Amino acid sequence: MPKAALPFTLDFALQGGGAHGAFTWGVLDRFLEEPDLRIEGVSGTSAGAMNAVVMVDGYAAGGAEGARAALTDFWQRVSAAARFSPIQRSPLDVLMGNWTLDNSPMYAAFDMAARVISPYDLNPLGINPLGDILQACVDFERVAASPIRLFVTATHVNTGRGRIFRNAELSPDVLLASACLPTMFQAVEIDGEPYWDGGYSGNPTMTPLVRECSCGDIVLVQINPVAREGTPRMARAIQDRVNEVAFNAPLLKELRLLALLNQVVDPGQGECSRWARMRVHRVSSEALHTLGASSKLNAEWAFLCLLRDEGRRAAAAFLETHRGDIGRCSSLDLAPYLEET
């Protein structure tokens, strides 16, 4: 397969997924090793938004190597803060090499409490250690001035609609809003308005990459599985699958729109034709699908490094197989998103 013309330009769309966002860290880390890569825009939600902002800040400070170092520093800080969390793996899971928290007594207690007690009662001070981490490792003035365009999604509590925050609007509170699970954290107020996790309205939102960037290639880094075999029967498994379906729904709608416009619109001029010309690529891993949802709260350094290495492997495999598609055609088959079930 012929190589893409160099240098090559990409936009990235980064899903959220708690600690599983370390997979995205690995994907970005591998892409940043490409000497001819130019990044025009990044859209992210929740952990994807944090990866995006940290990377762009590091890139502004020290180029690709600065971005890689910034991502490493961020995830090291996350892991260090998690050492003091009472929610840890059970001794049996540690012995068996399982990364899930399902058998942790404190996780079970917290999970139960989160279902019946409001975070306004459970965490009345609204403490979130990620706020201090972001404040310490990101220069938001530098992010505002970056030529790489950033789009971070949060969900407006009152309207249920997504709001997209751009470079100059970004702050620790915006990133915390984008990652605000309503059963765990109080809504984050921005400009006097309450916001929850952006995954409910866009995980991630691809629309601004199409409308506001000139690049024709979007790389979707997908963490959450769309399909799973079997019907969940345990209460926790049912809730976990409900969350996956809810957080994937906005993305599936955008992919369906892209597929439809690719099929019916003449790629000439205008916004619809812009959608029709977009080339979509995806980096994901089946290994993530085997991990329990509770492992998204596991920030042990060994686990984060495992996810990072899997992200690097998946990105390397993508580049080996599909680099020639960049600038030429979509490597993600969009046709299945048009199928009715």
Side-chain angles (χ1 to χ4, degrees), residues 79-91:
S79 182
R83 289 179 196 155
F84 304 103
S85 170
I87 303 176
Q88 302 289 343
R89 283 189 297 162
S90 70

Side-chain angles (χ1 to χ4, degrees), residues 46 175-183 185-188 195-198 200:
S46 192
L175 295 181
L176 293 181
S178 183
C180 179
L181 291 172
T183 57
F185 300 107
Q186 298 180 22
V188 179
Y195 290 90
W196 281 340
D197 196 296
Y200 296 111

Side-chain angles (χ1 to χ4, degrees), residues 159-200:
T159 66
R161 299 179 61 183
R163 175 178 170 183
I164 299 169
F165 296 85
R166 293 161 175 80
N167 296 56
E169 302 170 296
L170 297 175
S171 68
D173 280 347
V174 169
L175 295 181
L176 293 181
S178 183
C180 179
L181 291 172
T183 57
M184 295 179 62
F185 300 107
Q186 298 180 22
V188 179
E189 287 201 2
I190 301 169
D191 300 328
E193 299 293 329
Y195 290 90
W196 281 340
D197 196 296
Y200 296 111

Side-chain angles (χ1 to χ4, degrees), residues 293-332:
S294 66
S295 66
K296 293 180 179 181
L297 295 179
N298 183 354
E300 293 177 54
W301 183 242
F303 183 50
L304 298 182
C305 289
L306 183 76
L307 292 168
R308 175 204 61 195
D309 293 345
E310 178 60 19
R312 285 184 53 84
R313 185 207 62 75
F318 169 84
L319 288 167
E320 178 67 23
T321 306
H322 296 297
R323 180 166 178 157
D325 295 327
I326 297 172
R328 190 171 64 88
C329 64
S330 290
S331 60
L332 175 64

